[in-house]
Amino acid sequence: QHLGVAGIILGPLHVPSSRISEGDAILVSTDLDATYLGRRRLTGRVYSPYFSLNTDDATQAVACRIVKRGRPYTVVATHWHASIIADGPTTSILDSHAGPGAEACRAALLAGTKVREGEAFDTASFAD
């Protein structure tokens, strides 16, 4: 498990004061002999449970190795950017509308797609 989203933390000072704490975990049965391989920050600025400057979306990938019937497997869990996926139905709906609102949505969709592509590349290179 690793902390993923924490707001702003400077030692005992937490903003928001609700002590928001979100992370990712890979739950593994003890008989699979799991070994933690590491974590890669994809986006955001979470440094530790004691120091964080995260005011936006934070994404990460965590990895472990398990052994099943004598064979090793790498397991990667990822927490990607939350955004609309640029698929056929979504772009078709946007294409049917005109005006500044639709243009803003198209720009946001493109930006989200670029973030996801970067996260996918970083996750794949981390898994390698």
Side-chain angles (χ1 to χ4, degrees), residues 16 37 81 114:
L37 296 178
H81 176 74
K114 287 183 179 183

Side-chain angles (χ1 to χ4, degrees), residues 88-101:
T90 303
T91 54
S92 143
I93 289 168
L94 285 175
D95 290 344
S96 70
H97 296 322

Side-chain angles (χ1 to χ4, degrees), residues 18-107:
S18 63
R19 295 182 183 251
I20 191 171
S21 179
E22 175 188 318
D24 298 295
I26 300 173
L27 305 177
V28 179
S29 176
T30 55
D31 67 319
L32 294 177
D33 192 27
T35 304
Y36 176 72
L37 296 178
R39 167 193 179 262
R40 176 170 292 177
R41 179 182 55 82
L42 303 174
T43 63
R45 293 173 298 282
V46 175
Y47 300 104
S48 78
Y50 310 103
F51 180 73
S52 170
L53 296 173
N54 189 50
T55 57
D56 201 358
D57 199 17
T59 62
Q60 67 182 352
V62 292
C64 75
R65 177 162 292 120
I66 62 170
V67 179
K68 175 89 172 171
R69 295 186 184 127
R71 293 186 63 190
Y73 297 90
T74 300
V75 178
V76 178
T78 187
H79 175 147
W80 282 1
H81 176 74
S83 65
I84 298 170
I85 296 173
D87 60 0
T90 303
T91 54
S92 143
I93 289 168
L94 285 175
D95 290 344
S96 70
H97 296 322
E103 288 304 314
C105 285
R106 280 188 196 84

